[in-house]
Amino acid sequence: MNAAARQARPPSLRLALVSLFSLVIGIGISIAIFGLAPHLPMLFGVAVASIVALYCGYSWDKIQDSMITGITHALGSIIILLLVGILIGAWILGGVVPTLVYYGLQIFSPSIFLVACALICAIASSATGTSWGTTGTIGVALMGVGSGLGFPLPWVAGAVLSGAYFGDKMSPLSDTTNMAPAMVGVDLYTHIRHMASTTGLSFVIALIAYAVVGNAYTPQSPDSARVDAILATLQDSFVIHPLLLIPPVLVMLLSFRKIPAIPGIAIGAITGLACALLVQNADYATSMSAAMSGFTAETGNADVDSLLSRGGLESMTYTVSLIIVAMMFGGVMQGTGQIQVIAAAILSFARSTGSLILTTALTAIGSNFLLCDQYMSLVMTGRMYGTAYRDQGLAPENLSRVTEDAGTVVDPLVPWGSGGAYQTATLGVPTILYAPFAIFCWVSPLVTILFGYTGWTIRPLEKTASPDPLAASVDAQPMPSESRPEKARRDVEPA
């Protein structure tokens, strides 16, 4: 195997693009033309990337190890995904989600609802450092409230995601917020302060858009009879009580106390099952069935049945299989140097500060679509461009900011990526439908590019600054999985 590894040569740009376009074209045809799942086209992309690697002299053992390494990066996310499926089923049967929806319908008005969604999720995510935990708990309830108020669910999902990713991005508890500066050798709080301008402006733009849309939908809000029918159905079908707010509050407190995501969500699921057994008087078999296969509502009210018929571990199998295949492709592309060749070609066009930041942002975005994982995007982008930023006389916090502005927040917009697949399964809205309305997530890269070309808040490199030992040139070897921050390896909670 060592001899084979020595004979391997870097792939050419043309060959690397063959792998890339095999994936893009295959997925495009499958989804856009035939409306099929992307799994098999992605497997075809894995096969093409593997053939390219074999042609370049890589051994099959190396290619297979790259696939396994890619999947390993996503194992924490997969565990969280399965636990969230259990949590949703348990919380619905236990009356937790119905209680949140019941009180939410009485508190919120349509004119302020989208703004409130974004702000509530931003506060929760800032306090806990987890976007996935926020959308999987508070986000699920807000989706139900939005449905009752008559809002199109893609708008509600977009507002939830905008708030969740803003809070996670600015939280010192977030693993991605810690990872991005670590990749370029920047202090955590220097990184957060430097992100405040671009992130804050992006979130303000999103809030203004949600306020305008909320006011526009006020005249079209549902009549009181529909809301009253939903409230009455919830009361007839479940025990509604303020004590049922304990599970989500407990999950929030555990996250705030820096309890890792996996045990935190597991505890939330267990408390939900306890509520089902003790409060809703469900038997053991029914409780286990809801955790495994989800809850099926048969209330006679179409709105309530549509909202509450969901959850369960089995509901996440489609998403888990998609993540596994996606990470196989990303692992082969990175492990055999194909993604690095594409990124090097892009870097050749960066001749000014603006173009360098544009190139960095496009690389971070492209890495999400190709490697299907925001962590790999942060690692690769941060390590690749450290030297280029120093050569341009730019402080490393500029690089860490761009990697988060364009890498972290794009994660939920990739339908076949871990973030997009998770949010679709959790919020019940396809990625392609909510993506245009997750305003913060696609405005953030545009704002950071604008700041790059205008020079606003771009910091020069101090003359006394020492070279960044973590930065690597474009031809650097991929970062081994064991060098990822321990928190990301432990619970891999996406931003």
Side-chain angles (χ1 to χ4, degrees):
M1 180 174 175
N2 291 336
R6 286 195 297 270
Q7 295 171 1
R9 64 184 185 278
S12 66
L13 176 61
R14 182 176 300 179
L15 288 174
L17 290 176
V18 168
S19 300
L20 169 61
F21 287 122
S22 70
L23 178 78
V24 174
I25 295 173
I27 291 178
I29 293 175
S30 180
I31 295 178
I33 298 179
F34 297 104
L36 301 175
H39 298 62
L40 293 182
M42 294 193 74
L43 277 174
F44 175 73
V46 174
V48 172
S50 299
I51 292 171
V52 168
L54 288 170
Y55 178 79
C56 292
Y58 286 92
S59 68
W60 174 251
D61 286 342
K62 170 62 178 175
I63 297 170
Q64 180 174 291
D65 287 344
S66 298
M67 292 182 193
I68 294 173
T69 298
I71 295 172
T72 301
H73 282 291
L75 287 179
S77 301
I78 289 172
I79 295 172
I80 291 172
L81 198 64
L82 296 175
L83 287 174
V84 167
I86 295 172
L87 179 144
I88 292 174
W91 278 19
I92 294 176
L93 178 63
V96 177
V97 171
T99 296
L100 289 168
V101 173
Y102 183 85
Y103 290 132
L105 284 173
Q106 296 178 314
I107 294 173
F108 292 114
S109 67
S111 61
I112 66 168
F113 178 67
L114 290 180
V115 173
C117 278
L119 289 174
I120 290 171
C121 290
I123 293 170
S125 193
S126 296
T128 63
T130 165
S131 56
W132 280 28
T134 298
T135 57
T137 52
I138 295 175
V140 171
L142 290 174
M143 293 296 292
V145 176
S147 176
L149 293 174
F151 270 101
L153 292 185
W155 269 108
V156 182
V160 167
L161 289 170
S162 290
Y165 276 81
F166 166 81
D168 195 347
K169 188 165 174 281
M170 295 301 293
S171 173
L173 305 179
S174 167
D175 50 3
T176 55
T177 306
N178 281 270
M179 178 181 286
M183 290 302 100
V184 298
V186 175
D187 173 72
L188 171 63
Y189 290 99
T190 298
H191 168 68
I192 293 175
R193 286 193 296 268
H194 196 51
M195 282 198 302
S197 55
T198 55
T199 305
L201 177 59
S202 300
F203 194 55
V204 168
I205 292 172
L207 290 178
I208 292 173
Y210 294 136
V212 171
V213 172
N215 285 323
Y217 266 89
T218 300
Q220 303 175 24
S221 60
D223 56 63
S224 59
R226 181 186 177 194
V227 174
D228 289 342
I230 294 174
L231 294 175
T233 302
L234 291 174
Q235 276 190 314
D236 292 340
S237 304
F238 300 91
V239 175
I240 304 295
H241 195 278
L243 288 178
L244 293 174
L245 300 177
I246 290 177
V249 171
L250 177 61
V251 171
M252 292 281 293
L253 290 175
L254 291 174
S255 297
F256 186 75
R257 296 292 297 175
K258 301 183 181 181
I259 301 298
I262 290 175
I265 294 174
I267 292 172
I270 292 171
T271 57
L273 290 173
C275 290
L277 294 168
L278 302 177
V279 180
Q280 306 298 334
N281 293 320
D283 57 39
Y284 179 81
T286 301
S287 301
M288 293 301 103
S289 177
M292 183 65 186
S293 303
F295 181 82
T296 301
E298 298 177 348
T299 64
N301 184 303
D303 291 327
V304 175
D305 290 348
S306 175
L307 168 66
L308 299 183
S309 297
R310 56 187 310 187
L313 183 147
E314 291 177 353
S315 68
M316 297 298 181
T317 54
Y318 175 98
T319 305
V320 168
S321 61
L322 177 60
I323 291 174
I324 290 174
V325 176
M327 297 308 292
M328 288 170 62
F329 178 80
V332 173
M333 289 292 287
Q334 185 173 29
T336 60
Q338 296 182 59
I339 193 66
Q340 288 86 341
V341 171
I342 296 174
I346 297 174
L347 184 59
S348 65
F349 295 97
R351 307 180 187 280
S352 65
T353 297
S355 62
L356 177 58
I357 288 178
L358 172 63
T359 299
T360 308
L362 292 177
T363 301
I365 294 171
S367 298
N368 267 297
F369 279 85
L370 293 177
L371 303 178
C372 312
D373 179 71
Q374 64 180 338
Y375 294 105
M376 295 176 72
S377 173
L378 293 177
V379 170
M380 191 185 74
T381 307
R383 286 168 61 84
M384 280 175 48
Y385 292 118
T387 299
Y389 273 70
R390 289 200 305 277
D391 292 345
Q392 288 272 13
L394 301 175
E397 55 262 36
N398 297 300
L399 173 56
S400 65
R401 180 173 78 178
V402 177
T403 59
E404 280 235 79
D405 284 346
T408 297
V409 300
V410 170
D411 179 60
L413 307 184
V414 183
W416 52 85
S418 57
Y422 171 85
Q423 303 301 349
T424 292
T426 300
L427 300 179
V429 180
T431 306
I432 196 170
L433 294 183
Y434 71 62
F437 310 113
I439 298 173
F440 171 77
C441 296
W442 56 261
V443 164
S444 184
L446 299 178
V447 169
T448 203
I449 293 170
L450 172 65
F451 276 43
Y453 275 100
T454 59
W456 297 336
T457 71
I458 300 299
R459 290 182 183 171
L461 182 67
E462 295 181 7
K463 294 182 179 180
T464 57
S466 58
D468 176 11
L470 289 174
S473 60
V474 171
D475 60 353
Q477 292 297 316
M479 182 181 180
S481 60
E482 61 267 21
S483 60
R484 297 179 70 181
E486 187 60 28
K487 182 178 184 296
R489 292 187 60 201
R490 185 172 63 250
D491 62 31
V492 196
E493 175 61 24

